[in-house]
Amino acid sequence: MKNQDNRQVHLNLLTINLPLTALLSILHRISGFGVFLSFLLTVWLLERSLFSEEEYIRLINDLENLLVLKIFVSLILLGFIFHFFVGLKKMVSELFGIGETLESARLFSLFTLIIFFLLGALMLIYFW
């Protein structure tokens, strides 16, 4: 007698409706990798700003005039803000047990996304 297995062999992640908490978890990993990759640019900008007063003024001028640099810095800041708040959500849920049920986890994830969008919008308004 042959045992038939009806499980899917190939899962297409783009067609699966993931819950908000799972989506935030995946995006948290991606943003962490992005923040890690942007570390070299961040250190270069910090080194450039601390080298001398003239170099700091040139860096500020470059940030105001170079669109590519401004976009990169904005993406780094948005990635860091997202990674920080989702990581804070994960730590709070682990330490205090907030979001253990499916509905409370969804609401807590939604609250985290709202905070991210508000602070990200404020940062972009201030930076641009």
Side-chain angles (χ1 to χ4, degrees), residues 23-77:
L23 187 63
L24 277 182
S25 179
I26 293 170
L27 290 175
H28 182 253
R29 291 171 190 239
I30 293 171
S31 68
F33 185 68
V35 168
F36 173 74
L37 288 180
S38 68
F39 182 70
L40 290 176
L41 178 65
T42 307
V43 169
W44 175 70
L45 289 172
L46 180 65
E47 187 271 331
R48 195 172 158 197
S49 71
L50 296 175
F51 187 72
S52 67
E53 186 177 348
E54 294 83 23
E55 191 65 28
Y56 175 75
I57 292 171
R58 269 188 254 141
L59 175 65
I60 296 298
N61 196 13
D62 286 347
L63 280 172
E64 290 174 355
N65 296 326
L66 294 176
L67 182 65
V68 173
L69 186 61
K70 199 176 226 184
I71 289 172
F72 277 139
V73 171
S74 296
L75 289 175
I76 290 169
L77 288 173

Side-chain angles (χ1 to χ4, degrees), residues 104-123:
S104 64
R106 189 185 69 77
L107 289 174
F108 198 31
S109 296
L110 190 62
F111 176 72
T112 305
L113 271 180
I114 290 170
I115 294 295
F116 162 69
F117 281 125
L118 289 176
L119 287 176
L122 286 175
M123 185 274 309

